[in-house]
Every structure is written in structure tokens, then in C-alpha cells.
Amino acid sequence: MTALTDLVFTNGFTADLPADPATDNRRREVRGALFSRVAPTPVKAPRVVAASPECAALIGLDPAELETEDFARVFGGNALVPGMDPYAMTYGGHQFGHWAGQLGDGRAINLGEVEGPGGTLDPWTLQLKGAGPTPYSRSADGLAVLRSSVREFLCSEAMHHLGVPTTRALSLVSTGEQVLRDMFYDGNQKYEPGAVVCRVARSFVRFGSFELPASRGEAGLTRQLADHVIRRHYPELGAPPAPEPIPQEIYVAWLEELRDRTARMIAHWSRVGFVHGVMNTDNMSILGETIDYGPYGWLEDYDPDWTPNTTDAQGKRYRFGHQAAIGHWNLTRLASAVVPLLGETEPLQALVDGYPEVYAAEWGAMLAAKLGFESFEEDLDAPLAAELFRVLGSAETDMTIFFRRLADVTAETEDPFLTLRDAYYAPDEVNEEVRGALASWTASYLARAEQRGVSDEARRERMNRTNPRYVLRNYLAQLAIDRAEKGDDGGVGELLEVLRRPYEDQAGKDAFAEKRPEWARHRPGCSMLSCSS
Ligand code: AMP
Ligand code: MG
């Protein structure tokens, strides 16, 4: 267990890669470099609203430190620990399908890379989000509000506990400052409390980090960044140490691995009902982790066309059922950006073309587990799944509750609808046709389980470690935010506590597993979010 001031910073990113020579924090285009050194902007009154002991353990930080004033000062942006080397990264990206040019860390400042308990082979980047302007802030303020910071903090940790690859969150610090926001971009500006989240990941490099130098013909930078990512974050690929060049097949193996991880991550999203909301290429991690929690949402009633993001309400590009396809599109953008590494396009094309098959296999495996089966057998399980999703879509049904309750349906169940009743938003209005389809689907499902020789007990056990009881329902997050905005941190803490064990039925916590109440159906923050954060 290490004290805050004894953390060891190795700073591999800034040590390895070209820096922007200017350090005056002017907003501008930055060329020929991958990052700019910039310090966080101090805030009025940093106060820890919540912190994650599991995330502290990742970096070996003594959990007692989370309570200290020094911790609030460092993670609110008012002080640095010796060895930190703060910087913002450059990147570009395709936003909603269109090339957007230079974006970069407009309100994220990496404090440095710290050694975890595993030493030099265990590097973690600490990043403050909302700690003030950087050269990449464009016309914005570099700040974040409490509302969006609560959401990022809780969701990062919730996703981790659900077993979904994700960046982590160490702390949520309120700043005592007021930040002006137009929540729905409709001319209604108001002041909101400011906050800073400390995110933790092995790396915050994005697909867009490669697209920007590629768009400028800076092939040298593309290669330096790829070599850094491969050597430092994909050691299993066995790249030779610098200055020896990395052979072509290792670049290909890296991208194949990233393709597989990206497909797996999105299959996990489908499993737990997560909708990212802004799958722009600048929000795609080079490690295949969920990154940048903005206007995300959790599927309540099963609706593949749902998106929480009001900015995307027209095209619904990032709707639940389209995320897998967007993963493919985004990988294609990354592959185009790294063509100069290989000098030829065939191997890149081949690996990108392999994505749909990889995704199908990942999703099949998860679907099988959701149904309590060991593996997915295409011929028999695919029609069963297709009919299930048709039934789910035929009446407003809470996906999370449905799968959890389905584990309790057995051959002894007289009327499966009664076991699954809680999952329906208007159970009294579910008609005979829907009930009939549900009954006949459950009969085929149980027959299939029997045919595969899966006992009810084994099925239930597998289902309950695949289908969470507790997810970060949009309205639950909003209730915690409402309290936090009034100075009561309790809601955030309670939610974090429940979300640490999402697969366990926790005594006295039923309220956190209930479907969205009617009042939340159209309330901003519960069903509608925007990129404003
Ligand atoms: P996002 O939609 O949050 O992924 O952000 C897209 C780009 O806008 C990124 O380059 C962000 O750093 C930048 N950005 C978003 N909000 C702010 C802000 N308040 N201040 C400065 N830059 C921002
Ligand atoms: Mg982003």
C-alpha cells in the first residue's frame, strides 16, 4: 500500500513520444507532436464526493489516502505529486460519420503514468477530466459539471464490476466552481456545479489518435505511436525492442487483436443493455475498452432502435442495435489510418472483413450464456434467440428484469408470464397474443435446455452470473445527481455500493433493481441526454 506522495511515475508516453514544443497553453492546431504539456487549472474548493477503493488498489494506493485533503487537492487539480508530468493528447476523429479534424484532449489532462503493484510492467495513466483548458479546448471551457461527472464515475466502475472492458474511475471531486452549460443546446443556459473525475486506464490512446497524423501525412508519428502502443500495451505480441523495426506481421496481429477486443466489448454492451451514445472514432479506445461516458444510457424496455443521445435523435446512428455495425465502420477508419505502417492494404482489408464473423461468435457466446447454455449452436439457438427478441419487442419489456427472471422459469412453472410479469411495463395490457407467444417460446426454450442436458440449477447459476440484477439505470443515476447537486453525496455512494456486486441478489436493495418508474419516462437526464457535459 503506497502513500500518495510515494507513487512512482514512469511516464512512458511523454518519455517515448514527440512533444509539442510550445507550453503556453494557447488553443491551436498542434502538428508534428502527439501531446502538449499543460497543467490542470486550480479550483476554488476541491472536495471528494466519491472514490473507488478497487480502483485505488489497481495502482497500489493506500485507501486511507482517499479521505485526505491532499487527495482532494491533487485530484481536483490544485496540486501535483512529484514525478507527475501533466499533458493533453492530440487526436482527431470521425464524429457522426464525418471527419472532424483535430479534436484532442480538450478537457482531459493526463497527470502521468504510475507504476502499479506489478512495477514497470504494470503502468496506469491517471487522467483528470474537467481540469481546465488545454491547447485542444477549441471554443469550449475545458470543464465538466457534476451531473456528467457523477455519470462517468459511476458508470466506469459499474461496467468494471459487470465484467465489461472499461476505463476506470478513481475519484469524483467537486470543485466549488460554477460552470455555465446549455444542457439541451436550446438557448437555456444555466450555472451548474463543477467537478473533476480522475480516470484510470493503461492508455487513453484512441482510434482518432492515429487518424489525425494520417490525415496530415505525418506517417512518422503514426508509426511512433503504433510502436509505443504495441511495445507498451501489447507485450504478448513479442515486438522487438526499439530501435529495431516492428515487422509487418506484428502490426497485423495487433490490429487483429484490437478487432477482436472491440467486437467483444460491444457484445458485452449488448449483453448488459448499454448504449454508448457517441461512438465517434475519437471515443474508441486503442485497447478495446469502453471510454468516454457521455450521453450513454441503459436499455430499459427492449428496443434495438433506442438511443439516449438527443444529438443523435434524427439519424440514430448510435442506437443500441447498430453498435456492432458502428464498431466495424470505426475499425475501417483506423485501418485506413495505419496503411502507411504496412505499405499495402490487403492484410488490413482482410482483417477488417473478418469483423462480422468475430462479432457474431462473441455475441453468440454471450447470448448462449444469457440463456444458461454453455455454447451457441447456430442452427438451433439462432432461431430460438430471434424469436425471443421478437417476443421482447412485442410488448414493452424490461430486458434486465426479463433475463434475470427467466432463470426462474422451469418446467414446473404453470404460467411463465406470471414469473416474468415484473418485466412488463404495462402487465395488465399484455394481450393474449403476446402471452401466447411468450408461453410457446418458453416451452421451446425449456425443451432446448433439456435436449442439451442443462439442469435447471446449472442454467440458473450461469444465467445469474451473466444477466445482472443491478445496472446503472438512467433514472437511478439521475436521482443520485439530484441529491449530489443539493450537496448530499449519499446517493452516489449508495449506488456505487450496490453496483459493486451486480450479479448478487442483495438484501434490502430491491429498489435498485426496479424498472423505470413512469415519472422518469420523459424526464431529461433519465431518458434524454445530450453531449453537453
Ligand atoms: P466528446 O463528445 O465528449 O467525446 O468530445 C469531443 C471533443 O470535444 C473532445 O476533443 C473533447 O475534449 C472536446 N470537449 C468536449 N467538451 C469540452 C469542454 N467542455 N471543453 C473543452 N473541450 C471539450
Ligand atoms: Mg470524447
Side-chain angles (χ1 to χ4, degrees), residues 36-67:
S36 305
R37 288 198 162 82
V38 56
T41 303
V43 300
K44 213 183 276 174
R47 189 179 65 81
V48 179
V49 173
S52 162
E54 290 89 355
C55 189
L58 272 188
I59 59 169
L61 181 66
D62 184 345
E65 290 281 6
L66 306 175
E67 316 283 335

CSV table of all heavy atoms in Angstrom, one decimal, residues 36-67:
chain,number,residue,atom,x,y,z
A,36,SER,N,0.8,17.9,-25.7
A,36,SER,CA,1.2,19.2,-25.3
A,36,SER,C,1.3,19.1,-23.7
A,36,SER,O,0.3,18.7,-23.1
A,36,SER,CB,0.3,20.3,-25.7
A,36,SER,OG,0.1,20.2,-27.1
A,37,ARG,N,2.4,19.6,-23.2
A,37,ARG,CA,2.4,19.7,-21.7
A,37,ARG,C,1.5,20.8,-21.2
A,37,ARG,O,1.6,21.9,-21.8
A,37,ARG,CB,3.9,19.9,-21.2
A,37,ARG,CG,4.7,18.6,-21.4
A,37,ARG,CD,6.0,18.7,-20.6
A,37,ARG,NE,6.5,17.3,-20.5
A,37,ARG,CZ,7.3,16.7,-21.4
A,37,ARG,NH1,7.6,17.3,-22.5
A,37,ARG,NH2,7.7,15.5,-21.2
A,38,VAL,N,0.7,20.5,-20.3
A,38,VAL,CA,-0.2,21.5,-19.7
A,38,VAL,C,-0.7,21.2,-18.3
A,38,VAL,O,-0.9,20.0,-18.0
A,38,VAL,CB,-1.5,21.7,-20.7
A,38,VAL,CG1,-2.2,20.4,-20.9
A,38,VAL,CG2,-2.5,22.7,-20.1
A,39,ALA,N,-0.7,22.1,-17.5
A,39,ALA,CA,-1.1,21.8,-16.1
A,39,ALA,C,-2.6,22.0,-15.8
A,39,ALA,O,-3.2,22.9,-16.5
A,39,ALA,CB,-0.3,22.8,-15.1
A,40,PRO,N,-3.1,21.3,-14.9
A,40,PRO,CA,-4.5,21.5,-14.5
A,40,PRO,C,-4.7,22.9,-13.9
A,40,PRO,O,-3.8,23.5,-13.4
A,40,PRO,CB,-4.8,20.5,-13.4
A,40,PRO,CG,-3.6,19.5,-13.5
A,40,PRO,CD,-2.5,20.2,-14.1
A,41,THR,N,-5.9,23.4,-14.1
A,41,THR,CA,-6.2,24.7,-13.5
A,41,THR,C,-6.7,24.6,-12.1
A,41,THR,O,-7.7,23.8,-11.9
A,41,THR,CB,-7.3,25.4,-14.4
A,41,THR,OG1,-6.9,25.5,-15.8
A,41,THR,CG2,-7.7,26.8,-13.9
A,42,PRO,N,-6.1,25.2,-11.2
A,42,PRO,CA,-6.6,25.1,-9.8
A,42,PRO,C,-8.1,25.5,-9.6
A,42,PRO,O,-8.6,26.4,-10.4
A,42,PRO,CB,-5.7,26.0,-9.0
A,42,PRO,CG,-4.5,26.2,-9.8
A,42,PRO,CD,-5.0,26.1,-11.2
A,43,VAL,N,-8.8,24.9,-8.6
A,43,VAL,CA,-10.2,25.2,-8.4
A,43,VAL,C,-10.4,25.8,-7.0
A,43,VAL,O,-9.5,25.7,-6.1
A,43,VAL,CB,-11.1,24.0,-8.6
A,43,VAL,CG1,-10.9,23.5,-10.1
A,43,VAL,CG2,-10.7,22.9,-7.6
A,44,LYS,N,-11.6,26.3,-6.8
A,44,LYS,CA,-11.8,27.0,-5.5
A,44,LYS,C,-11.8,26.1,-4.3
A,44,LYS,O,-11.1,26.4,-3.3
A,44,LYS,CB,-13.2,27.7,-5.6
A,44,LYS,CG,-13.4,29.0,-4.9
A,44,LYS,CD,-14.8,29.5,-5.0
A,44,LYS,CE,-15.0,30.3,-6.3
A,44,LYS,NZ,-16.4,30.7,-6.5
A,45,ALA,N,-12.6,25.1,-4.3
A,45,ALA,CA,-12.8,24.3,-3.1
A,45,ALA,C,-12.9,22.8,-3.4
A,45,ALA,O,-14.0,22.3,-3.4
A,45,ALA,CB,-14.0,24.8,-2.3
A,46,PRO,N,-11.8,22.1,-3.7
A,46,PRO,CA,-12.0,20.7,-4.1
A,46,PRO,C,-12.4,19.9,-2.9
A,46,PRO,O,-11.9,20.0,-1.8
A,46,PRO,CB,-10.5,20.3,-4.5
A,46,PRO,CG,-9.6,21.3,-3.8
A,46,PRO,CD,-10.4,22.6,-3.7
A,47,ARG,N,-13.4,19.0,-3.2
A,47,ARG,CA,-13.9,18.1,-2.1
A,47,ARG,C,-14.3,16.8,-2.7
A,47,ARG,O,-14.9,16.7,-3.8
A,47,ARG,CB,-15.2,18.8,-1.5
A,47,ARG,CG,-15.7,18.1,-0.3
A,47,ARG,CD,-17.0,18.8,0.2
A,47,ARG,NE,-18.1,18.7,-0.7
A,47,ARG,CZ,-18.9,17.7,-0.8
A,47,ARG,NH1,-18.7,16.6,-0.1
A,47,ARG,NH2,-19.9,17.7,-1.7
A,48,VAL,N,-13.8,15.7,-2.1
A,48,VAL,CA,-14.1,14.4,-2.6
A,48,VAL,C,-15.5,14.0,-2.4
A,48,VAL,O,-16.0,13.9,-1.3
A,48,VAL,CB,-13.2,13.3,-2.0
A,48,VAL,CG1,-13.5,11.9,-2.5
A,48,VAL,CG2,-11.7,13.7,-2.2
A,49,VAL,N,-16.2,13.8,-3.5
A,49,VAL,CA,-17.7,13.3,-3.4
A,49,VAL,C,-17.7,11.8,-3.3
A,49,VAL,O,-18.5,11.3,-2.5
A,49,VAL,CB,-18.4,13.8,-4.7
A,49,VAL,CG1,-19.9,13.3,-4.7
A,49,VAL,CG2,-18.5,15.3,-4.7
A,50,ALA,N,-16.9,11.2,-4.0
A,50,ALA,CA,-16.8,9.7,-4.0
A,50,ALA,C,-15.5,9.2,-4.6
A,50,ALA,O,-14.8,10.0,-5.3
A,50,ALA,CB,-18.0,9.1,-4.8
A,51,ALA,N,-15.1,8.0,-4.1
A,51,ALA,CA,-13.8,7.5,-4.6
A,51,ALA,C,-14.0,5.9,-4.7
A,51,ALA,O,-14.9,5.4,-4.0
A,51,ALA,CB,-12.7,7.8,-3.7
A,52,SER,N,-13.2,5.3,-5.5
A,52,SER,CA,-13.3,3.9,-5.7
A,52,SER,C,-12.2,3.1,-5.1
A,52,SER,O,-11.0,3.3,-5.5
A,52,SER,CB,-13.4,3.5,-7.2
A,52,SER,OG,-13.1,2.1,-7.4
A,53,PRO,N,-12.4,2.4,-4.0
A,53,PRO,CA,-11.3,1.7,-3.4
A,53,PRO,C,-10.7,0.6,-4.3
A,53,PRO,O,-9.5,0.4,-4.3
A,53,PRO,CB,-11.9,1.0,-2.1
A,53,PRO,CG,-13.4,1.1,-2.3
A,53,PRO,CD,-13.7,2.2,-3.3
A,54,GLU,N,-11.5,0.0,-5.1
A,54,GLU,CA,-11.0,-1.0,-6.1
A,54,GLU,C,-10.0,-0.4,-7.1
A,54,GLU,O,-9.0,-1.0,-7.5
A,54,GLU,CB,-12.1,-1.7,-6.9
A,54,GLU,CG,-13.0,-2.6,-6.0
A,54,GLU,CD,-14.2,-1.9,-5.4
A,54,GLU,OE1,-14.3,-0.7,-5.6
A,54,GLU,OE2,-15.0,-2.6,-4.8
A,55,CYS,N,-10.4,0.8,-7.5
A,55,CYS,CA,-9.5,1.5,-8.5
A,55,CYS,C,-8.2,1.9,-7.8
A,55,CYS,O,-7.1,1.9,-8.4
A,55,CYS,CB,-10.2,2.7,-9.1
A,55,CYS,SG,-9.4,3.4,-10.5
A,56,ALA,N,-8.3,2.4,-6.5
A,56,ALA,CA,-7.1,2.7,-5.8
A,56,ALA,C,-6.2,1.5,-5.7
A,56,ALA,O,-5.0,1.6,-5.8
A,56,ALA,CB,-7.5,3.2,-4.4
A,57,ALA,N,-6.8,0.3,-5.4
A,57,ALA,CA,-6.0,-0.9,-5.3
A,57,ALA,C,-5.2,-1.2,-6.6
A,57,ALA,O,-4.1,-1.7,-6.5
A,57,ALA,CB,-6.9,-2.1,-4.9
A,58,LEU,N,-5.8,-0.8,-7.7
A,58,LEU,CA,-5.1,-1.1,-9.0
A,58,LEU,C,-3.8,-0.4,-9.1
A,58,LEU,O,-2.8,-1.0,-9.6
A,58,LEU,CB,-6.0,-0.4,-10.2
A,58,LEU,CG,-7.1,-1.2,-10.8
A,58,LEU,CD1,-7.5,-0.3,-12.0
A,58,LEU,CD2,-6.6,-2.5,-11.3
A,59,ILE,N,-3.7,0.8,-8.5
A,59,ILE,CA,-2.4,1.5,-8.6
A,59,ILE,C,-1.7,1.4,-7.3
A,59,ILE,O,-0.6,2.0,-7.1
A,59,ILE,CB,-2.6,3.0,-9.0
A,59,ILE,CG1,-3.5,3.7,-8.0
A,59,ILE,CG2,-3.2,3.1,-10.4
A,59,ILE,CD1,-3.5,5.2,-8.2
A,60,GLY,N,-2.2,0.5,-6.4
A,60,GLY,CA,-1.5,0.2,-5.1
A,60,GLY,C,-1.6,1.4,-4.1
A,60,GLY,O,-0.9,1.4,-3.1
A,61,LEU,N,-2.6,2.3,-4.3
A,61,LEU,CA,-2.7,3.4,-3.4
A,61,LEU,C,-3.4,3.0,-2.2
A,61,LEU,O,-4.5,2.4,-2.2
A,61,LEU,CB,-3.5,4.5,-4.2
A,61,LEU,CG,-3.7,5.8,-3.4
A,61,LEU,CD1,-2.4,6.5,-3.1
A,61,LEU,CD2,-4.7,6.8,-4.2
A,62,ASP,N,-2.9,3.4,-1.0
A,62,ASP,CA,-3.5,3.1,0.3
A,62,ASP,C,-4.9,3.8,0.3
A,62,ASP,O,-5.0,5.0,0.1
A,62,ASP,CB,-2.6,3.8,1.3
A,62,ASP,CG,-3.0,3.5,2.7
A,62,ASP,OD1,-4.2,3.0,2.9
A,62,ASP,OD2,-2.3,3.7,3.7
A,63,PRO,N,-5.9,3.0,0.6
A,63,PRO,CA,-7.3,3.5,0.6
A,63,PRO,C,-7.5,4.6,1.6
A,63,PRO,O,-8.4,5.5,1.4
A,63,PRO,CB,-8.2,2.3,0.9
A,63,PRO,CG,-7.3,1.2,1.3
A,63,PRO,CD,-5.9,1.5,0.8
A,64,ALA,N,-6.7,4.6,2.6
A,64,ALA,CA,-6.8,5.7,3.6
A,64,ALA,C,-6.5,7.1,3.0
A,64,ALA,O,-7.0,8.1,3.5
A,64,ALA,CB,-5.8,5.5,4.8
A,65,GLU,N,-5.8,7.1,1.9
A,65,GLU,CA,-5.4,8.3,1.2
A,65,GLU,C,-6.7,9.0,0.6
A,65,GLU,O,-6.7,10.2,0.5
A,65,GLU,CB,-4.4,8.1,0.1
A,65,GLU,CG,-3.0,7.7,0.6
A,65,GLU,CD,-2.2,8.9,1.0
A,65,GLU,OE1,-2.8,10.0,1.1
A,65,GLU,OE2,-1.0,8.7,1.3
A,66,LEU,N,-7.7,8.2,0.3
A,66,LEU,CA,-8.9,8.7,-0.4
A,66,LEU,C,-9.6,9.8,0.5
A,66,LEU,O,-10.4,10.6,0.0
A,66,LEU,CB,-9.8,7.6,-0.8
A,66,LEU,CG,-9.2,6.5,-1.6
A,66,LEU,CD1,-10.3,5.4,-1.9
A,66,LEU,CD2,-8.7,7.0,-3.0
A,67,GLU,N,-9.4,9.7,1.8
A,67,GLU,CA,-10.1,10.6,2.7
A,67,GLU,C,-9.3,11.9,3.0
A,67,GLU,O,-9.8,12.8,3.7
A,67,GLU,CB,-10.2,9.9,4.1
A,67,GLU,CG,-10.7,8.4,4.0
A,67,GLU,CD,-12.1,8.3,3.7
A,67,GLU,OE1,-12.9,9.3,4.0
A,67,GLU,OE2,-12.5,7.3,3.2
